[in-house]
Amino acid sequence: MDFFDLKDLHVEKDQKSLDKWGRILGDIREEVGSIAFKSWLSKLSYVGMTPDNVMYLSLPSKFLLDWAKPHYENKISALCKSHLSNVKNVKMILDENGNNNFAIEEEQDKNIQDNTSPLDPRFNFENFIVGKSNEFAFAAAKRVCETDKVVFNPLFLFGGVGLGKTHLMHAVAWDIKERSPKRKVVYLSAEKFMYEFVKSLRFKDTMSFKEKFRSVDVLMIDDIQFIAGKDSTQEEFFHTFNSLVDQSKQIIISGDRPPSELDGIEERLRSRLSFGVVGEVHKANYELRLSILMAKAEARKDIKFDIKIIEFLAKKINSNVRELEGAYRRLLAHSELVNRPITIETAKQLLHDLLRANDRRVTVEEIQKRVAEYFNIRFNDMVSVRRSRIVARPRQVAMYLSKVHTPKSLPEIGRLFGGRDHTTVMHAVKKVEELCQLDSAFADHIKVLKRSLGI
Ligand code: ADP
Ligand code: MG
């Protein structure tokens, strides 16, 4: 690190470099993106040039410099050289009094003063269609809104992408705002929480950060998995969490998996996250997908989609609701453009990429691989003759999943598991079903495996 007294540095601020400095800063922002620029480089200043053409730049804190130097020095150096052909080398140093004399920062910072994420007005309870897969999460979300008292804390909603978690959280926020306008509701993504936290460190303003988040009535953090592995953000979140719980303030969290499976999140935080109610948003089944689309079609009375088209979409696009809506919008846009009703044939053409992706079925081999990985045995053990329990049980699990989730027949599956008889497969299926009934820990393993295979 270059910690030396700036007075020892024989540099001169030459006019040519000063003239170019604004342009260079602009290019740096283009190159690294505006968020990274705002966070790390908006205070980058031009210090001066040495007689042998080494260009010195400075940042006003060690925190900024420690991050920016390894990440951006090369890029910045290349940009400086491209603007100023005489530059031989570029060095970044610490200078607490540095001043870049450019207004980029002020103009940028105005946009990020708001420390919450915006709420989508369409994401309300009325527009949320309830089915078997989301009824629990929906009921829990509604319950949180019904009273100003804390019934359970936190509410943790989890599930795969595009299944309605964010929609439910926004709905809660709208509902509480409407019922009790005085309550301070703060909704933001975990990413934004981290960003705000880093910003407060950077401006040495952690006190007001803490105050801001510890004085809310309802705190909602979306996509908590984002802070996995981000230790200091997690630490701060943990304290915020505890402080709010102590004050009986409501916390609502969403994630892509249950608290117990959040890798990279400290045990003490994971256990706190599962203290309240943990609700899973499952994949929507056909009926729910159909209802969601019907509701959409109804909201747009001007376009008459044949019910066959709606059924076709609901049947074929089964991955998540976001994709389903995307497919619907694509057809809508097309029919508006050409001013003709959509047929199944056109739908197939227009959506062939989505249809192909949704058609993708899991294979026996994928199941074998994943199960072997999960139980920490070798892939070969799936097809070997070994009978020891250590490998026999996982093998049965893989057979069971293959039977239930692939179109293969019992004899075919037997063959793929080292030439076993179809009765062995049948026995495995029965055994696994039995164990799922008797042993909830075992049933959980199956659930996790299914989720990781996307089935
Ligand atoms: P997630 O946060 O789980 O990734 P979102 O909440 O962003 O998913 O949902 C994706 C899209 O699907 C949104 O447009 C949302 O309105 C819609 N959606 C999901 N579930 C439902 C539902 N049950 N009823 C109506 N719209 C839904
Ligand atoms: Mg979301």
Side-chain angles (χ1 to χ4, degrees):
M1 230 9 70
D2 304 79
F3 290 119
F4 47 82
D5 196 330
L6 282 175
K7 288 195 293 290
D8 298 340
L9 199 62
H10 300 291
V11 293
E12 187 196 348
K13 261 195 172 99
D14 62 301
Q15 197 53 45
K16 192 168 155 223
S17 304
L18 270 178
D19 289 346
K20 292 268 179 162
W21 184 235
R23 293 267 297 280
I24 296 177
L25 268 184
D27 278 5
I28 294 174
R29 187 172 57 177
E30 287 268 293
E31 174 84 22
V32 306
S34 65
I35 294 190
F37 185 84
K38 266 187 293 204
S39 311
W40 310 108
L41 299 172
S42 60
K43 299 221 157 143
L44 190 67
S45 311
Y46 172 54
V47 181
M49 197 83 81
T50 62
D52 54 351
N53 289 324
V54 179
M55 186 176 183
Y56 275 84
L57 309 177
S58 75
L59 280 167
S61 80
K62 180 170 176 329
F63 176 72
L64 286 178
L65 189 66
D66 281 352
W67 173 271
K69 218 173 148 65
H71 286 86
Y72 302 118
E73 198 173 48
N74 287 344
K75 277 194 183 129
I76 291 173
S77 171
L79 283 171
C80 292
K81 285 177 189 164
S82 75
H83 280 275
L84 297 160
S85 53
N86 56 325
V87 172
K88 292 253 159 23
N89 208 346
V90 173
K91 285 203 164 148
M92 285 164 77
I93 57 168
L94 175 70
D95 177 8
E96 278 164 359
N97 305 311
N99 180 358
N100 66 14
N101 292 326
F102 281 89
I104 286 187
E105 191 204 358
E106 268 75 39
E107 145 203 325
Q108 289 279 311
D109 265 357
K110 266 198 238 97
N111 305 330
I112 50 167
Q113 270 164 11
D114 185 10
N115 49 42
T116 62
S117 303
L119 294 174
D120 188 326
R122 293 165 306 167
F123 289 2
N124 53 37
F125 280 129
E126 289 76 56
N127 291 342
F128 191 83
I129 315 287
V130 187
K132 238 179 126 42
S133 55
N134 58 24
E135 63 186 0
F136 181 78
F138 177 79
K142 275 278 208 191
R143 186 83 186 88
V144 166
C145 303
E146 274 163 13
T147 128
D148 284 4
K149 292 204 194 68
V150 171
V151 203
F152 40 73
N153 224 353
L155 167 59
F156 191 103
L157 299 175
F158 77 93
V161 290
L163 299 182
K165 301 181 299 293
T166 298
H167 187 135
L168 272 179
M169 289 184 101
H170 287 206
V172 169
W174 287 122
D175 201 77
I176 296 180
K177 276 169 183 279
E178 200 179 302
R179 279 174 204 253
S180 355
K182 286 218 181 76
R183 290 177 86 191
K184 198 168 155 206
V185 182
V186 166
Y187 163 88
L188 73 169
S189 62
E191 185 176 5
K192 179 123 178 134
F193 182 86
M194 181 184 97
Y195 176 63
E196 290 293 323
F197 177 58
V198 169
K199 201 174 77 181
S200 79
L201 288 176
R202 176 184 152 205
F203 292 118
K204 303 197 174 60
D205 195 17
T206 46
M207 279 322 287
S208 63
F209 174 88
K210 286 182 207 295
E211 227 172 82
K212 209 155 58 191
F213 286 102
R214 293 177 195 186
S215 65
V216 308
D217 295 305
V218 183
L219 178 65
M220 303 193 199
I221 305 274
D222 208 350
D223 290 318
I224 191 77
Q225 71 276 1
F226 184 85
I227 62 166
K230 319 264 181 0
D231 294 347
S232 48
T233 304
Q234 247 185 68
E235 169 97 21
E236 186 54 37
F237 177 68
F238 183 69
H239 295 308
T240 306
F241 187 98
N242 289 338
S243 154
L244 289 174
V245 171
D246 286 347
Q247 300 173 64
S248 300
K249 305 295 188 188
Q250 182 72 54
I251 301 169
I252 306 171
I253 314 270
S254 85
D256 66 351
R257 63 199 88 169
S260 56
E261 289 168 31
L262 283 166
D263 303 326
I265 299 250
E266 262 189 88
E267 173 52 33
R268 57 177 189 168
L269 179 54
R270 268 192 285 153
S271 85
R272 284 295 160 97
L273 289 174
S274 35
F275 261 22
V277 164
V278 177
E280 178 167 5
V281 185
H282 299 270
K283 268 180 152 181
N285 62 13
Y286 172 68
E287 285 86 357
L288 181 58
R289 297 199 298 270
L290 193 61
S291 316
I292 292 174
L293 278 185
M294 302 277 259
K296 292 239 161 256
E298 213 153 276
R300 308 210 25 150
K301 289 208 173 57
D302 48 341
I303 304 282
K304 295 261 179 299
F305 261 27
D306 195 86
I307 180 71
K308 285 221 163 49
I309 300 288
I310 305 233
E311 283 169 354
F312 172 79
L313 287 180
K315 194 154 119 213
K316 296 288 185 181
I317 314 272
N318 52 23
S319 53
N320 70 57
V321 182
R322 188 175 298 143
E323 270 193 7
L324 186 61
E325 286 186 342
Y328 177 81
R329 270 199 302 273
R330 206 188 282 181
L331 296 190
L332 207 59
H334 182 84
S335 83
E336 277 175 341
L337 208 62
V338 301
N339 209 6
R340 256 201 319 267
I342 294 277
T343 63
I344 297 271
E345 264 330 294
T346 11
K348 277 186 185 160
Q349 271 166 24
L350 289 170
L351 303 174
H352 75 276
D353 53 332
L354 280 177
L355 293 173
R356 221 185 20 231
N358 277 273
D359 218 21
R360 188 195 155 277
R361 289 226 184 84
V362 66
T363 64
V364 172
E365 193 179 332
E366 277 170 315
I367 293 176
Q368 291 171 324
K369 268 200 189 126
R370 190 61 55 85
V371 174
E373 235 169 64
Y374 186 83
F375 289 104
N376 216 358
I377 62 173
R378 288 173 311 148
F379 176 70
N380 277 348
D381 288 330
M382 283 288 161
V383 295
S384 75
V385 290
R386 278 180 70 191
R387 280 160 179 271
S388 83
R389 220 180 125 109
I390 292 181
V391 301
R393 188 72 83 223
R395 197 188 289 134
Q396 285 177 330
V397 168
M399 285 179 181
Y400 162 81
L401 292 174
S402 303
K403 178 66 200 118
V404 180
H405 294 283
T406 75
K408 295 259 185 283
S409 67
L410 291 171
E412 278 172 319
I413 294 173
R415 266 198 299 283
L416 291 166
F417 279 82
R420 287 180 158 79
D421 193 65
H422 78 277
T423 53
T424 313
V425 184
M426 212 153 70
H427 172 72
V429 173
K430 256 198 162 137
K431 185 77 203 166
V432 171
E433 278 169 354
E434 219 173 86
L435 281 171
C436 280
Q437 294 287 327
L438 295 173
D439 180 350
S440 67
F442 183 83
D444 284 345
H445 286 308
I446 302 287
K447 261 199 223 151
V448 174
L449 270 167
K450 277 174 117 161
R451 209 169 33 242
S452 82
L453 282 158
I455 51 184

